Amino acid sequence: MVHLCQACDEPATRRCSGCKIPAAWYCSEKCQRHRWPLHIFECNPTKPINTAYHLARAVYQDRFPEDPQTSLDYGFKRAFTVENQSKLLGLYIGLILYIKVEPKTIHRWRLKGTMAEEIKSAFEKLPQSNRGSYYPWFLQNQWVINLELTPPTNPVDETLLRAWQYAGGLPTSTREEMDAVKASWPKHKQECFFFCTLLLSSWHPSPEQAAWLNFSFCTCRDEYSETPLAQLYQRLIALSSFDKIYMAYKSSELIALFDCKGLKHDQEQIHHLDDVLARSPYMHKSVWDLKQHVVLEDGCMIPSIAVNYVKLHEAAIGGRLFEYVGGFVKLKKKLKHLMKNPYLLPQATSSSGPAIMLHCEA
Ligand SMILES: [Zn+2]
Ligand SMILES: [Zn+2]
C-alpha cells in the first residue's frame, strides 16, 4: 500500500513512531517537523501537550486560540479587544510561520519569562522592511506579553469605539459605561453589535462564533469565499443604521434589508444566503451544524468535495444520504446503516419544506 505524506501528499516512506494505528506517514523529516504542531494533537505524545502547541495550532489555522490556558499564557486574554487580539495573532504568525520558531522554543521563552525580549531579538534579525506591520504594533503594546508592564487603564480601542458610535453611543463613553449599557441589551442586540464590531474593523466571524452561523458565513464554500459576504455586510452597514440592521436581524429580514438598500443583485450572488437568513437567529438546518462541526474538527474544508449543502441536507432527511454522499466519495458498505435516517419526514424532498430545524440555542 502506498502511503501519502500528511504534509504534502507525495509518496511517503517515514512513519511517525509515536502513533498508534493508523500511523501518520511523511515523505521527509522536513515535512514531519512542519506538520508536528498539528500532528501532536492526533498522535500519542508521551508528555502532556503544552500551550505553545495550542498556540501553534491556532496560528496554522489563523484563529484565536480556543484553549483558555493558551489564551492566558500568550496574552490573548490580556489583549482584551478583538483589534489587539488580531494583531497579537499576526505577530505569532510571523514568529511561527515565517521566522519558523518552534513551539518548544516558545514554551521555553515563556517559562523563563523572556518572551517579549526573545520576540524582539527574533524580529530584529530581519531587515526592517521584512518585519511586517504587527511587530511595530508589538513595540507599542508590549504590556500584552510583558507582565511587568501595566496595561492601559482605559482599554477602549478604536474598534470598540467605532462600533459603539455606529450603534448610537457617545464618543466620550468609558469602557464601564459601554459594558453597562451593552449588558442591558437583549441577546440578539448584543450578537448584532458584536458582529458589527468585527465588520467595522474588517474582520468577520470565525466558525467557533455563533455569528458565523447566524449571519450565514457557514454557507460559504471556504474561508476565501467568506470575504465577499463580509464585504456585502460592510456595504449594508455603510447604508443602514445599527437599529435597522438589528431589527432586520431579530425579525429574520436581513434579505429584505439587503434588497431595499439596492443590494439585491449582490445578495443573490451568495449561494444559500437566504437559506440561513430566512430563519436566523431562531432556526437553521442541521446541515449547517454538521458543517460547523467538521470545520472546527478539521480546521479547513477539503475543497475537492464540493457538495451542495442544501442538497446534502435534503438527501439526509429524505433517507438518501448514503447514495448522495456515495456519488462524491467512495463509501464502505458498513456505513449504510449508520447513514440511514430512521425519522423520515413526509415532505422531506421539498426544498422549502419543513426540514430538520435546530434552535440556535440548542
Ligand atoms: Zn511531504
Ligand atoms: Zn504520530
Side-chain angles (χ1 to χ4, degrees), residues 16 81 119 135 147 159 165 175 180 312 324:
C16 172
T81 62
I119 288 175
Y135 182 62
L147 302 181
T159 314
Q165 287 184 263
R175 176 96 211 184
L312 174 65
Y324 183 79

PDB file of all heavy atoms in Angstrom, residues 16 81 119 135 147 159 165 175 180 312 324:
ATOM      1  N   CYS A  16       5.427   7.922  11.514  1.00  0.00           N
ATOM      2  CA  CYS A  16       5.567   8.523  12.839  1.00  0.00           C
ATOM      3  C   CYS A  16       5.676   7.397  13.866  1.00  0.00           C
ATOM      4  O   CYS A  16       4.801   6.535  13.944  1.00  0.00           O
ATOM      5  CB  CYS A  16       4.375   9.411  13.161  1.00  0.00           C
ATOM      6  SG  CYS A  16       4.392   9.975  14.864  1.00  0.00           S
ATOM      7  N   THR A  81      -9.185  43.238  23.560  1.00  0.00           N
ATOM      8  CA  THR A  81     -10.056  43.646  22.448  1.00  0.00           C
ATOM      9  C   THR A  81      -9.736  42.818  21.200  1.00  0.00           C
ATOM     10  O   THR A  81      -8.621  42.324  21.035  1.00  0.00           O
ATOM     11  CB  THR A  81      -9.841  45.122  22.100  1.00  0.00           C
ATOM     12  OG1 THR A  81      -8.480  45.285  21.676  1.00  0.00           O
ATOM     13  CG2 THR A  81     -10.106  46.017  23.286  1.00  0.00           C
ATOM     14  N   ILE A 119      11.133  37.704  21.415  1.00  0.00           N
ATOM     15  CA  ILE A 119      10.381  38.079  20.210  1.00  0.00           C
ATOM     16  C   ILE A 119      11.081  39.260  19.540  1.00  0.00           C
ATOM     17  O   ILE A 119      11.271  39.281  18.323  1.00  0.00           O
ATOM     18  CB  ILE A 119       8.922  38.430  20.565  1.00  0.00           C
ATOM     19  CG1 ILE A 119       8.154  37.153  20.932  1.00  0.00           C
ATOM     20  CG2 ILE A 119       8.223  39.131  19.395  1.00  0.00           C
ATOM     21  CD1 ILE A 119       6.739  37.379  21.407  1.00  0.00           C
ATOM     22  N   TYR A 135       4.813  43.766  14.099  1.00  0.00           N
ATOM     23  CA  TYR A 135       5.934  43.990  15.001  1.00  0.00           C
ATOM     24  C   TYR A 135       5.965  45.432  15.540  1.00  0.00           C
ATOM     25  O   TYR A 135       6.089  45.627  16.760  1.00  0.00           O
ATOM     26  CB  TYR A 135       7.249  43.587  14.323  1.00  0.00           C
ATOM     27  CG  TYR A 135       8.430  43.766  15.241  1.00  0.00           C
ATOM     28  CD1 TYR A 135       8.499  43.046  16.430  1.00  0.00           C
ATOM     29  CD2 TYR A 135       9.438  44.679  14.940  1.00  0.00           C
ATOM     30  CE1 TYR A 135       9.562  43.226  17.299  1.00  0.00           C
ATOM     31  CE2 TYR A 135      10.499  44.862  15.813  1.00  0.00           C
ATOM     32  CZ  TYR A 135      10.560  44.137  16.994  1.00  0.00           C
ATOM     33  OH  TYR A 135      11.598  44.330  17.859  1.00  0.00           O
ATOM     34  N   LEU A 147       4.413  40.894  31.498  1.00  0.00           N
ATOM     35  CA  LEU A 147       3.543  41.059  32.667  1.00  0.00           C
ATOM     36  C   LEU A 147       4.040  42.135  33.633  1.00  0.00           C
ATOM     37  O   LEU A 147       3.312  42.554  34.524  1.00  0.00           O
ATOM     38  CB  LEU A 147       3.389  39.723  33.399  1.00  0.00           C
ATOM     39  CG  LEU A 147       2.811  38.581  32.556  1.00  0.00           C
ATOM     40  CD1 LEU A 147       2.674  37.313  33.383  1.00  0.00           C
ATOM     41  CD2 LEU A 147       1.471  38.955  31.942  1.00  0.00           C
ATOM     42  N   THR A 159     -11.582  49.999  17.599  1.00  0.00           N
ATOM     43  CA  THR A 159     -12.572  49.036  17.116  1.00  0.00           C
ATOM     44  C   THR A 159     -13.898  49.180  17.854  1.00  0.00           C
ATOM     45  O   THR A 159     -14.963  49.316  17.265  1.00  0.00           O
ATOM     46  CB  THR A 159     -12.097  47.593  17.401  1.00  0.00           C
ATOM     47  OG1 THR A 159     -10.763  47.493  17.019  1.00  0.00           O
ATOM     48  CG2 THR A 159     -12.941  46.584  16.725  1.00  0.00           C
ATOM     49  N   GLN A 165     -20.071  54.024  18.447  1.00  0.00           N
ATOM     50  CA  GLN A 165     -20.640  55.226  17.828  1.00  0.00           C
ATOM     51  C   GLN A 165     -21.605  54.854  16.705  1.00  0.00           C
ATOM     52  O   GLN A 165     -22.623  55.498  16.517  1.00  0.00           O
ATOM     53  CB  GLN A 165     -19.522  56.125  17.297  1.00  0.00           C
ATOM     54  CG  GLN A 165     -18.783  56.818  18.423  1.00  0.00           C
ATOM     55  CD  GLN A 165     -17.729  57.779  17.888  1.00  0.00           C
ATOM     56  OE1 GLN A 165     -16.571  57.431  17.793  1.00  0.00           O
ATOM     57  NE2 GLN A 165     -18.154  58.965  17.515  1.00  0.00           N
ATOM     58  N   ARG A 175     -15.252  52.705  29.069  1.00  0.00           N
ATOM     59  CA  ARG A 175     -15.425  51.261  28.914  1.00  0.00           C
ATOM     60  C   ARG A 175     -16.536  50.732  29.850  1.00  0.00           C
ATOM     61  O   ARG A 175     -17.383  49.936  29.456  1.00  0.00           O
ATOM     62  CB  ARG A 175     -14.086  50.599  29.264  1.00  0.00           C
ATOM     63  CG  ARG A 175     -14.088  49.132  29.254  1.00  0.00           C
ATOM     64  CD  ARG A 175     -13.577  48.648  27.932  1.00  0.00           C
ATOM     65  NE  ARG A 175     -14.212  47.399  27.614  1.00  0.00           N
ATOM     66  CZ  ARG A 175     -13.930  46.668  26.567  1.00  0.00           C
ATOM     67  NH1 ARG A 175     -13.052  47.102  25.696  1.00  0.00           N
ATOM     68  NH2 ARG A 175     -14.531  45.532  26.348  1.00  0.00           N
ATOM     69  N   ALA A 180     -21.894  48.490  30.765  1.00  0.00           N
ATOM     70  CA  ALA A 180     -23.163  48.501  31.495  1.00  0.00           C
ATOM     71  C   ALA A 180     -24.340  48.591  30.517  1.00  0.00           C
ATOM     72  O   ALA A 180     -25.330  47.863  30.657  1.00  0.00           O
ATOM     73  CB  ALA A 180     -23.191  49.683  32.468  1.00  0.00           C
ATOM     74  N   LEU A 312     -27.404  18.135   0.225  1.00  0.00           N
ATOM     75  CA  LEU A 312     -26.932  17.153   1.214  1.00  0.00           C
ATOM     76  C   LEU A 312     -27.959  17.022   2.333  1.00  0.00           C
ATOM     77  O   LEU A 312     -28.307  15.925   2.772  1.00  0.00           O
ATOM     78  CB  LEU A 312     -25.578  17.606   1.774  1.00  0.00           C
ATOM     79  CG  LEU A 312     -24.988  16.788   2.924  1.00  0.00           C
ATOM     80  CD1 LEU A 312     -24.645  15.376   2.452  1.00  0.00           C
ATOM     81  CD2 LEU A 312     -23.734  17.460   3.489  1.00  0.00           C
ATOM     82  N   TYR A 324     -26.337   9.692  -1.856  1.00  0.00           N
ATOM     83  CA  TYR A 324     -25.893  11.033  -2.252  1.00  0.00           C
ATOM     84  C   TYR A 324     -24.399  11.214  -1.977  1.00  0.00           C
ATOM     85  O   TYR A 324     -23.640  11.609  -2.851  1.00  0.00           O
ATOM     86  CB  TYR A 324     -26.706  12.102  -1.503  1.00  0.00           C
ATOM     87  CG  TYR A 324     -26.343  13.516  -1.932  1.00  0.00           C
ATOM     88  CD1 TYR A 324     -26.849  14.053  -3.117  1.00  0.00           C
ATOM     89  CD2 TYR A 324     -25.470  14.290  -1.176  1.00  0.00           C
ATOM     90  CE1 TYR A 324     -26.498  15.328  -3.529  1.00  0.00           C
ATOM     91  CE2 TYR A 324     -25.118  15.563  -1.581  1.00  0.00           C
ATOM     92  CZ  TYR A 324     -25.640  16.083  -2.756  1.00  0.00           C
ATOM     93  OH  TYR A 324     -25.279  17.336  -3.160  1.00  0.00           O
TER      94      TYR A 324
END
